[in-house]
Amino acid sequence: MTGHCIIFGYHLDGQRATRPANSLGVSVVGPMGFLNILETQLGLLALHPSQAERIVQYRNCLQEFDAPERFYHASFATDPLGTAACLLEWRDQWMLHGWNGALGAEAPQRLQDLADVEDLACASVAPNVGQRLKLVLDAMQRRKPGIERVQIVEAVETLPIRWQAIFSVLPVVGAAELDGVGRGFLGALQKRLRTAVSGGQLPGPQSSRLSWQDDGSVVVVQAETTTLASHWLATQLAQDGSTLLVSGGDGVRLDAHLSSVKLPRQGFKESSAFRPALQVLPLALELLWEPLNFYALVQFLTHPICPIPHYARRSLAEKVADAPGIGGLQWQRVLVDIGTHYGDEKAPQVREQIRAWIEHDRHSSELGAPLTAVVERVERVAEFFRLRLGETDAARRLAFNAAFGQCKACLESLKGLQGQGADHISPRQLQKLVAQATANGSDNPLWPAEVGAALVVTNPAAVFEPIERVIWSPLSMPVLPGRDPWSGDEIRALKEAGVALPDASERLDRVAATWLRPVMAAGEQLVLVLPPPGDEAHPIWQMVCAVVDQPKVLSLETLLSAGGAALRPVTPVPLPAPKRWWQLPDDVSVALRPKESFSSLEKLLFNPYHWLLQYPARLRPSRTVSLGGDFRTFGNLAHGLVEQFYSHPDALTMSVSVFDSWFAGAFDALLDQEGALLRMPGRGADLAEFRYRLHQAMRNLRDQVGKAGIVEVQPERAVVGHFPGGELAGSADLVMKNARGEHAVVDMKWSGSKKFPQKLRDNCHLQLAIYAELLHQEHGAWPSVAYYVLDRARLFAPDDRVFPSAEVVPSADGENTAQLWQRFLATWRWRVLQVQSGRFEVVLDSIPVTDESVAPEDAMGTETLNAAYNDYRTLAGWENRA
């Protein structure tokens, strides 16, 4: 039986560079693939730990030798895991190029420090590739692997010295050179480029350059956008296996376009650390810290993969978004609702999950978290994914496997830290550790290569055999080798220790030599897709421009505009234009609601199309949960604290000192329950200012209440009654009664010290008028009305009948609240007639008014509502900008 035949290329791992063939015992591999074959045949195959675990192991070695005189001392004190990762990369690179751990006595200090660390690391850090290759070489002295021959794509002398040693004891043959045997202009271009690269002079005068030939053997195209380039490329890929695609990036976009034109996807490997399954562990760990990151909490609760059942987490997310905090009355109400939803059988289990994932102890971000708590947390996430490894859906199963592997790698690293004597870990180090455990990301399991896919490489160096057609897209600037982090003296000391590191110029020359491979591999056609104008092109394009006189670049936009058999015209369908009035069809009618409130009536009166879409049509905006802004948070907290205070039995008799003491405790408690967003880092100044303003506002409100002789205050008072359209209900912020039995209704606003006085001046304070009418129906007398603007601690009223210290803002036309109620009724009847006829006005500043927009003389004046609170504003129509 013949042995194994290997085709080896240093850049062939993960590439699809050869056409399928009927062959047995032939493998096309890169370094890791070949190392796996050798270790398997020599009995050296082992389970190797993750790079994250190796970093933790090396961290311990650095810590053992750490001292103020060590060169890495300052960096290690700030970021031990990051420092360990960097220095471990140096060590691994040196060993791949021949280092055995020893250095000469005259070596520079940094090298001496790492040589000292190596005395411990050689036995306590899992082996790197260089060490594994040395073990393979030692084993090959005693036993020969079953390999008949190895065909090497690159020159052996360009490989790291450990690989050179391996190939020195194997039957090696070199791969055939890609000489370039293209037809027509392609062949001439290949010959000229080969001459230039091999040391020949690039042409000088234009007359000595190649003249462009339009024979189709070389095609250069460019698009204004990568999207168009990908779409065009999707139509060019053949399914007969005679095309090789050199992808310079953005392969996932290309696969999307291939799928759209029903061609096989190429299966580009876009490893991403942002796959949903890999986000669960970082989010779960972010919840360990105090103060709690509420943005992370909402992301955790709304994540598509979450260990808390859907209804429970959705309910909690909506509560947190509305009132950021854990605990308190709102939180308990949500928990009761969740318990009712799941019933007696499942509710205890769901409640325990909420306690474990959210209501747990948190730890100071400055002192760090106990490793035992972090390990327990990671084990819980790992168990969540372990129970899902048998998922029947292939994509989900692969995602859960990746997440489970992430958790196991993180666990091993954490336990390694515990074994080294560490008992706490900081947020930054934990984030670093998780990032290292997730370094390779996760391939997209939903987009594998499909039958009929072309040959694809992402590195030009992986091209090693001729093929009919080569497409290189996009021909964008590659990442070039960087500078060495070592000084000249250090490189010389390493060389004396047997470390054959190629210098920066040598690495650049080697990389540049591989750029010509795709060009030389093409036999029939070479297609170059340039990046969009303004983006830097690949150096190979600069070489082409140097040897060719005025290369012809086809604009894909021009090709599209020229039309052709493959293109069919698409008749544009304009979007509906905005118009002031909507008319329903004759067979469609809208019924009025039997119960209204101020918020619904405001929409009916001042923007009827909004009322139509929200209530009769029942269109619901997106349920995406996100934290609200400061304005909403401040308003909710202020209303909540005022409600708490006036629910206190001693609210009207409490002394100033007792009030101040009550405020301090109640404010902090409410903040934790409904406004803990303000405790997050960077919000200290906002919190201090808000506390001060609210304290002053409540003090001033107490003064106003005292001067008015108020004997009863009812916060969040429910008011109900009727009007010609049916039942009318609402909740008044504050309903007060003085010693004379007179009532007043106060509407609190967080801000608006200009807006709300103007409403009183214009006699259009509709919300107060509705509450006043409902109280009038209840008590038989019209109450006084007022606005209290909290952030400025100012009370505005149309008169001083109840509040002698209020800022009086009488109406400009002399009308009162009772007359405003009558104007409301006239406006409502006007709108009802329109609803009954199927007509609805679209009231937006961008749409001009019509004659029909003018309300009757006895109705209220028109008002344009704030479009920021209109979820349906984009449904009003679109301007034609053609």
Side-chain angles (χ1 to χ4, degrees), residues 602-650:
E602 184 183 42
K603 298 178 181 68
L604 176 62
L605 267 57
F606 301 122
N607 207 350
Y609 99 100
H610 189 168
W611 178 88
L612 171 70
L613 296 180
Q614 181 171 345
Y615 299 110
R618 296 182 182 179
L619 295 185
R620 295 291 176 260
S622 168
R623 293 192 65 199
T624 300
V625 177
S626 60
L627 289 167
D630 286 351
F631 181 83
R632 177 181 175 185
T633 300
F634 293 163
N636 288 345
L637 290 173
H639 277 72
L641 202 61
V642 172
E643 179 184 359
Q644 278 190 34
F645 175 69
Y646 283 107
S647 298
H648 196 284
D650 300 327

Side-chain angles (χ1 to χ4, degrees), residues 4 42 78 143 204 207 227 236 317 329 333 341 375 383 385 397-398 435 439 461 528 531 585 665 750 839 869 876 880:
H4 203 161
L42 295 171
T78 302
R143 178 183 177 187
S207 58
T227 298
Q236 302 299 306
L329 291 177
R333 291 191 195 106
H341 176 82
V375 167
E383 179 65 9
F385 283 113
R397 184 172 63 252
L398 290 171
L528 303 177
W750 173 247
R839 290 182 63 76
Y869 300 103
N880 184 5

Side-chain angles (χ1 to χ4, degrees), residues 631 635-644 646 694 697-698 701 713-716 731-736 745-752 756 767-768 771 786-791 794-795:
F631 181 83
N636 288 345
L637 290 173
H639 277 72
L641 202 61
V642 172
E643 179 184 359
Q644 278 190 34
Y646 283 107
L694 183 55
M698 293 187 66
L701 183 59
V713 178
Q714 295 176 294
E716 294 300 321
S731 178
D733 290 342
L734 296 171
V735 173
M736 304 182 185
V745 57
V746 179
D747 191 26
M748 293 187 295
K749 306 295 182 183
W750 173 247
S751 64
F756 294 104
Q767 186 174 10
L768 281 171
Y771 296 158
Y787 284 114
Y788 189 59
V789 180
L790 289 150
D791 73 334
R794 298 174 70 181
L795 182 70

Side-chain angles (χ1 to χ4, degrees), residues 307-318:
I308 298 176
H310 181 269
Y311 181 84
R313 59 189 173 92
R314 183 78 194 187
S315 301
L316 293 173
E318 290 174 349

